[in-house]
């Protein structure tokens, strides 16, 4: 049974700002976009009570560049110890820009876009073959769907009826050098997944209770794999970051840091 | 070796439920015995080799031992980054089967030639690489290596009949197999080019030249102790492989000679330029690239006569 954990998304956002400022790194907008999805999964959905059991649910952060949000949510969930989190971006740490399977609570190393859904499909197929009820959650970015390998995995999972596979696409509309609609248009993305025979849900990806309820309502024992098209706001919670391309890469200045923290604390 | 593989896999899978077989839609008329025996442990992923390796990674993380199967370039080159980031980095028991190594798909053209697989995989420290010299040795390799830690690449030939004289299925992980015939020159081979070299050695005998054969079937881990023992005995060494001359065993031997400061002459035989588009029987292509029995014998003679130095 999944353990309920009390994770504050506001606290997670605050820590994203603090840690990214301390390390002087970017990818802040993506972390703020995905953090509600991760909060929902680790608060209310995923079964990882025993991290060493093969029966635990699996999680893949396929858009690995949002890892800071994952580290913080894992920490707030009581999985990643403070001592490990505090090594973030230090020389010799495993906690870098992209998650590594050596980190407590991380199942798969990622960083190269377009690979995580295949890993997840394999984990889901293995669970079926091993007659296990465990589920596999794969969080992806929208721009990641530019990769052809994503669609190989999409076809495969539907063909094998991997109902225990749940993909969550963080549809924030941005990628490294522009808006997704301008770089390589993904729309109509929900219809694409539906056409590939996935059980498709398009929801507000910054609404934690909506995400949790949707994920917990899925039939993961038979029929189709599931995809949540999570409509998110890039840079959510910090006004000057929201939907601004700059925050894919740029770190915070001292002034921006103060303003960002102040805005989050007032929410 | 494809039938040898499937038969060995059936035996292994009978005793270990973790074993599953994935194919990128290849293996027609080869895999049927496995499919009939284990229908639920066979997955044709379609023509999607990146996803195949990714799926195998996820399965292996869940405790299974997936074998993924395709023609060499589609098994290695197409999903290369998946192999690197998946089973190699995570050190998972994914087994990659590449068939038709070298120039065996001779009529299919450059897209199907497996002439760079060893080179691109040998740079990765975390994957075992085995290239059987004949089907008997292939059987030994499958049964001695299947449960090794981390991923394995098996470079397989389509040859199900030929046997290297006196090899007798010998194989040990991290060792090379040596067949001593004399100290005039050493021929070092990769995989089934041992068959050509063995015949070349017979041709050389007619000319009064006594050549020995060192077969490298364990590329990673490399056969360092064997090389230390055998190479210093020779002043002239030829490598022969159905692979580009860079990156394969020619490179391995060159590295070893340089690092150990051995005083010998090395001639590397293999594919030394982009195949120009000509197709043909494997025998024809081996002649074209100078790695058939006659070419190897001729090369040995010219080296001994002081040419090519």
């Amino acid at each position: 049974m999944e353990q309920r954990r009390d994770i504050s998304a506001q606290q997670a956002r605050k820590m994203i700002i603090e840690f990214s400022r301390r390390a002087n790194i970017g990818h802040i907008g993506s972390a703020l976009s995905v953090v509600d999805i991760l909060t929902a999964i680790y608060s209310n959905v995923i079964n990882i009570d025993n991290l060493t059991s093969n029966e635990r649910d699996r999680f893949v952060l396929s858009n690995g560049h949002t890892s800071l949000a994952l580290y913080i949510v894992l920490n707030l969930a009581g999985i990643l110890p403070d001592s490990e989190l505090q090594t973030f971006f230090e020389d010799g740490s495993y906690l870098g820009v992209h998650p590594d399977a050596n980190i407590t609570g991380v199942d798969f190393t990622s960083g190269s876009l377009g690979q995580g859904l295949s890993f997840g499909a394999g984990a889901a197929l293995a669970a079926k073959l091993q007659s296990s009820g465990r589920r596999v959650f794969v969080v992806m970015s929208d721009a990641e769907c530019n990769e052809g390998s994503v669609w190989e995995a999409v076809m495969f999972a539907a063909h094998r009826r991997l109902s225990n596979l749940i993909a969550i696409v963080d549809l924030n509309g941005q990628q490294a050098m522009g808006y997704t609609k301008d770089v390589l248009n993904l729309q109509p993305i929900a219809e694409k997944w539906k056409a590939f025979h996935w059980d498709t849900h398009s929801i507000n990806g910054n609404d934690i209770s909506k995400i949790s309820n949707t994920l917990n309502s899925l039939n993961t024992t038979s029929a189709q794999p599931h995809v949540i098209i999570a409509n998110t706001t890039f840079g959510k919670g910090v006004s000057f970051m929201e939907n601004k391309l700059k925050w894919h890469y740029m770190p915070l200045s001292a002034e921006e840091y103060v303003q960002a923290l102040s805005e989050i604390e007032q929410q | 070796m494809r039938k040898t593989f499937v038969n060995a896999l059936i035996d292994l899978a009978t005793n270990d439920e973790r074993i599953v077989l994935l194919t990128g839609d290849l293996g027609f008329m080869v895999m049927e015995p496995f499919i009939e025996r284990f229908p639920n442990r066979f997955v044709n992923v379609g023509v999607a080799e990146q996803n195949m390796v990714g799926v195998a990674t996820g399965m292996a993380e869940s405790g299974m031992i997936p074998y993924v199967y395709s023609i060499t370039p589609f098994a290695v080159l197409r999903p290369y980054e998946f192999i690197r980031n998946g089973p190699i980095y995570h050190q998972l028991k994914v087994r990659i089967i590449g068939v038709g190594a070298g120039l065996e798909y001779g009529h299919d053209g450059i897209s199907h030639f497996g002439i760079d697989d060893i080179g691109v995989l040998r740079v990765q420290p975390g994957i075992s690489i085995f290239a059987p010299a004949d089907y008997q040795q292939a059987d030994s390799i499958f049964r001695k290596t299947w449960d090794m830690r981390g991923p394995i690449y098996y470079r397989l030939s389509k040859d199900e009949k030929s046997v290297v004289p006196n090899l007798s299925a010998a194989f040990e992980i991290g060792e090379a197999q040596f067949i001593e015939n004399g100290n005039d020159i050493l021929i070092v081979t990769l995989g089934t080019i041992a068959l050509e070299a063995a015949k070349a050695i017979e041709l050389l005998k007619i000319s009064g030249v006594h050549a020995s054969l060192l077969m490298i079937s364990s590329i990673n881990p490399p056969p360092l102790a064997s090389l230390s023992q055998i190479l210093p005995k020779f002043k002239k060494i030829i490598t022969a492989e159905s692979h580009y001359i860079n990156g394969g065993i020619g490179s391995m031997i060159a590295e070893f000679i340089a690092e150990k400061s051995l005083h010998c002459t090395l001639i590397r035989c293999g594919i030394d330029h982009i195949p120009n588009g000509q197709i043909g029987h494997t025998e024809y292509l081996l002649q074209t690239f100078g790695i058939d029995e006659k070419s190897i014998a001729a090369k040995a003679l010219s080296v001994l006569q002081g040419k090519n130095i």
Side-chain angles (χ1 to χ4, degrees):
Chain A
M1 291 301 101
E2 57 267 19
Q3 179 185 321
R4 305 290 162 188
R5 300 177 184 83
D6 186 20
I7 302 170
S8 158
Q10 183 193 27
Q11 174 65 9
R13 282 199 159 79
K14 197 168 157 239
M15 290 170 72
I16 288 170
I17 297 300
E18 288 168 350
F19 276 79
S20 55
R21 169 65 184 160
R22 194 201 300 175
N24 195 31
I25 57 157
H27 289 310
I28 305 167
S30 306
L32 292 173
S33 146
V34 82
V35 71
D36 295 311
I37 296 167
L38 300 178
T39 299
I41 290 172
Y42 282 92
S43 292
N44 304 319
V45 181
I46 197 167
N47 176 10
I48 47 170
D49 292 348
N50 183 349
L51 284 178
T52 59
S53 168
N54 201 33
E55 289 307 300
R56 74 188 190 283
D57 288 342
R58 297 299 197 278
F59 179 81
V60 187
L61 188 71
S62 194
N63 52 341
H65 58 279
T66 65
S67 68
L68 179 55
L70 177 65
Y71 303 150
I72 287 166
V73 167
L74 285 172
N75 175 258
L76 294 175
I79 296 162
L80 183 73
D82 288 345
S83 57
E84 204 173 331
L85 179 64
Q86 290 302 327
T87 70
F88 177 67
F89 245 71
E90 286 182 1
D91 290 347
S93 172
Y94 287 114
L95 281 74
V97 175
H98 303 102
D100 188 288
N102 286 295
I103 298 167
T104 306
V106 174
D107 296 321
F108 291 94
T109 299
S110 58
S112 175
L113 297 172
Q115 298 191 332
L117 191 61
S118 291
F119 295 170
L125 178 59
K128 294 268 186 194
L129 291 173
Q130 293 167 338
S131 304
S132 166
R134 65 179 181 266
R135 301 164 297 173
V136 182
F137 298 91
V138 180
V139 169
M140 312 164 59
S141 74
D142 46 3
E144 184 173 2
C145 296
N146 294 175
E147 295 279 3
S149 56
V150 165
W151 301 99
E152 293 184 9
V154 168
M155 272 190 285
F156 176 80
H159 184 80
R160 305 294 303 191
R161 298 174 70 80
L162 299 178
S163 56
N164 52 348
L165 178 63
I166 300 121
I168 300 113
V169 179
D170 179 0
L171 192 79
N172 62 31
Q174 284 195 207
Q175 55 194 104
M177 294 185 69
Y179 296 102
T180 56
K181 66 181 169 51
D182 299 324
V183 175
L184 192 58
N185 188 19
L186 298 161
Q187 297 295 352
I189 191 162
E191 284 75 2
K192 283 180 177 134
W193 286 77
K194 208 176 286 176
F196 280 88
H197 302 295
W198 281 59
D199 171 39
T200 306
H201 303 257
S202 190
I203 63 171
N204 179 347
N206 293 121
D207 181 338
I208 293 168
S209 72
K210 180 71 181 170
I211 301 163
S212 305
N213 292 339
T214 304
L215 291 174
N216 283 327
S217 72
L218 302 174
N219 173 4
T220 57
T221 57
S222 65
Q224 301 153 279
H226 312 275
V227 61
I228 311 299
I229 305 296
N231 296 276
T232 58
T233 299
F234 182 87
K236 174 78 176 175
V238 178
S239 61
F240 61 86
M241 288 189 183
E242 289 190 0
N243 298 318
K244 297 286 191 303
L245 288 171
K246 170 185 174 185
W247 297 102
H248 187 88
Y249 281 124
M250 294 305 290
L252 288 157
S253 68
E255 297 74 26
E256 288 163 341
Y257 169 68
V258 171
Q259 189 189 335
L261 266 191
S262 157
E263 285 191 21
I264 291 168
E265 280 165 359
Q266 286 166 26
Q267 286 161 15
Chain B
M1 297 174 193
R2 295 174 294 185
K3 289 184 176 154
T4 306
F5 161 66
V6 170
N7 290 336
L9 194 66
I10 289 170
D11 288 348
L12 296 169
T14 301
N15 295 312
D16 193 326
E17 289 187 345
R18 296 175 297 170
I19 290 175
V20 289
L21 175 58
L22 279 60
T23 178
D25 202 33
L26 287 167
F28 183 64
M29 299 293 285
V30 174
M31 294 192 169
E32 284 74 6
F34 186 94
I35 300 167
E36 285 164 20
R37 185 78 180 271
F38 305 107
N40 297 326
R41 291 157 69 181
F42 169 78
V43 182
N44 184 349
V45 304
V47 191
E49 298 83 5
Q50 296 180 86
N51 184 53
M52 176 164 69
V53 173
V55 165
T57 302
M59 297 181 88
E61 196 277 339
S62 301
M64 308 194 86
I65 305 180
Y67 284 71
V68 303
Y69 181 101
S70 194
I71 294 174
T72 307
F74 317 139
V76 174
L77 300 180
R78 185 63 166 262
Y80 184 68
E81 194 207 11
F82 274 79
I83 296 170
R84 171 187 182 270
N85 293 348
I88 292 180
Y89 185 74
H90 292 82
Q91 283 298 286
L92 294 168
K93 291 181 178 180
V94 171
R95 281 69 176 104
I96 299 158
I97 307 289
V99 297
L103 301 162
E104 290 194 334
Y105 284 97
H107 289 98
D108 293 85
I110 180 72
S111 63
H112 285 56
F113 293 170
I115 53 181
D116 34 19
D117 51 330
I118 300 294
V120 298
L121 284 177
R122 200 170 71 86
V123 299
Q124 302 284 346
I127 182 166
S128 300
I129 304 171
F130 303 117
D134 63 23
Y135 78 93
Q136 294 177 343
Q137 191 191 43
D139 191 62
S140 296
I141 291 175
F142 294 133
R143 293 170 197 274
K144 283 189 176 180
T145 61
W146 64 282
D147 201 22
M148 285 177 75
R149 182 173 187 273
I152 302 173
Y153 170 55
Y154 298 99
R155 184 189 215 239
L156 301 191
S157 163
K158 293 196 284 182
D159 190 335
E160 310 276 359
K161 289 185 297 198
S162 307
V163 171
V164 179
N166 303 316
L167 177 58
S168 308
F171 175 78
E172 295 298 335
I173 296 164
E175 291 184 15
Q177 285 70 49
F178 183 53
I179 296 178
E180 189 166 14
N181 291 299
N183 291 337
D184 292 337
I185 192 165
L186 177 68
I187 305 174
V188 185
T189 59
L190 169 72
T192 53
I193 294 299
L195 294 159
E196 300 296 323
K199 287 182 270 187
I201 286 168
E202 293 305 311
L203 290 174
L204 288 168
K205 279 183 187 168
I206 298 166
S207 306
V209 170
H210 299 283
S212 289
L213 175 61
L214 186 66
M215 288 167 273
I216 299 185
S217 305
S218 176
I219 294 96
N220 197 22
L224 298 178
S226 306
L227 298 182
S228 291
Q229 189 188 347
I230 306 298
L231 263 50
K233 296 178 180 174
F234 294 88
K235 292 293 171 202
K236 297 187 190 300
I237 298 172
I238 288 179
T239 56
E241 57 193 318
S242 191
H243 189 279
Y244 279 129
I245 57 166
N246 292 327
I249 59 152
S251 291
M252 176 198 282
I253 299 299
E255 291 158 15
F256 190 87
I257 289 170
E259 288 177 352
K260 300 292 179 185
S261 301
L262 302 183
H263 298 286
C264 61
T265 299
L266 172 67
I267 302 294
R268 296 184 296 159
C269 299
I271 298 146
D272 61 358
H273 59 271
I274 299 173
N276 63 3
Q278 283 182 320
I279 53 90
H281 288 96
T282 303
E283 296 75 17
Y284 165 80
L285 293 170
L286 292 182
Q287 288 166 24
T288 301
F289 290 104
I291 41 178
D292 67 307
E293 57 182 277
K294 287 180 184 163
S295 302
I296 294 169
K299 183 67 77 176
L301 283 175
S302 67
V303 170
L304 287 167
Q305 288 161 6
K307 298 172 187 168
N308 286 303
I309 296 171

